[in-house]
Amino acid sequence: LSINQQLSHAAKQGREDDSSGRDPLKKKLFVHVDDDDVVVESDTRHVSGLYVRALCGGLEETLSSYRAKVLEIEQLVLREPSFPLSRLQHMLREYTLILPSLHALVCEVTGSDTQHFLHGGEILQLLYRSTLVGVPRVQAVFQRLLFHCNRVLFNQISSWVVHGLLVDPFDEFFIQ
C-alpha cells in the first residue's frame, strides 16, 4: 500500500473506532496526504497551509533515516532469531532524543494540548525556539525543519517584494 492509502485506511479505522463509545475527550489525530495538500485533523477540527506542508516535508525527510534503520533492523531480526535487545537499543540510540522532541513539536503544532492549531509565523517561532536546545543532534533536526519552513517565508517575501504578488492562500503571511 502507498503511504496515502495507509493513512486513509488508518483514518477510516480511527473514525470507525470513534463510534465505539470511547471517551470523547480523547481525540485522535488524522493526517491526510495527497499531491495537492496536507491536512491534519482532530475529529472535526483541521489545519492546512503552506507552513504545515513544509513542516510535513521536513518531518518526512527527517524520519526517512529512521524508517531505513527500522527496515535494517527488521532484516537482521529475520536473519537472526536470537537478536539481542541490547543491540536493538544500540542501533536506535540516536533516535531516543529525536523522536520525543518531534512528538512534542507535532503535539504543539496540532494543538493536542491547547486546542489551538499553530500556523504561519507561529510555526516559525516554535521551530526557532526549538533550535535553541543544547543537544547537537536534536538541534540539527530542528534547524532542518526550520529551513523547510523558512523556504516558504522567503518565497512569500520574494513574491511580495519583487513581483508585488501576495501568495498567501491560507492567510499565514504577516502582510495582509
Side-chain angles (χ1 to χ4, degrees):
L1 292 176
S2 72
I3 292 175
N4 192 23
Q5 291 170 329
Q6 291 173 357
L7 290 172
S8 296
H9 175 70
K12 276 190 231 167
Q13 188 67 31
R15 288 191 179 113
E16 290 170 6
D17 291 347
D18 282 347
S19 63
S20 64
R22 64 179 184 75
D23 185 359
L25 297 177
K26 295 180 180 175
K27 298 183 182 217
K28 291 185 178 182
L29 295 176
F30 307 102
V31 180
H32 306 281
V33 182
D34 61 27
D35 293 338
D36 300 325
D37 205 10
V38 175
V39 179
V40 180
E41 288 185 0
S42 173
D43 292 342
T44 58
R45 302 175 316 125
H46 69 278
V47 67
S48 182
L50 299 175
Y51 291 89
V52 171
R53 186 180 305 162
L55 180 62
C56 288
L59 288 169
E60 181 74 26
E61 176 186 297
T62 300
L63 293 174
S64 65
S65 66
Y66 175 70
R67 277 193 222 97
K69 183 63 80 172
V70 169
L71 288 174
E72 176 187 339
I73 291 170
E74 181 182 20
Q75 294 301 316
L76 288 171
V77 168
L78 290 174
R79 278 184 289 197
E80 300 175 35
S82 61
F83 189 80
L85 184 57
S86 59
R87 187 170 174 198
L88 173 70
Q89 287 177 319
H90 176 72
M91 292 180 78
L92 293 174
R93 72 186 178 285
E94 70 179 281
Y95 300 102
T96 58
L97 293 173
I98 295 171
L99 293 178
S101 299
L102 291 178
H103 178 262
L105 172 77
V106 170
C107 286
E108 194 161 346
V109 169
T110 59
S112 63
D113 295 334
T114 62
Q115 303 301 314
H116 170 71
F117 283 115
L118 300 183
H119 71 285
E122 295 172 324
I123 292 174
L124 291 173
Q125 288 176 342
L126 173 63
L127 288 172
Y128 177 73
R129 281 193 322 264
S130 299
T131 62
L132 302 177
V133 69
V135 181
R137 180 69 177 120
V138 174
Q139 184 181 36
V141 167
F142 281 111
Q143 286 173 340
R144 189 68 187 159
L145 294 175
L146 183 61
F147 167 78
H148 281 274
C149 290
N150 274 338
R151 283 184 13 200
V152 173
L153 176 65
F154 295 148
N155 285 337
Q156 286 179 322
I157 290 172
S158 174
S159 175
W160 174 253
V161 171
V162 175
H163 304 289
L165 299 173
L166 181 60
V167 180
D168 188 22
F170 300 99
D171 295 326
E172 299 172 299
F173 195 49
F174 57 89
I175 295 174
Q176 295 298 316

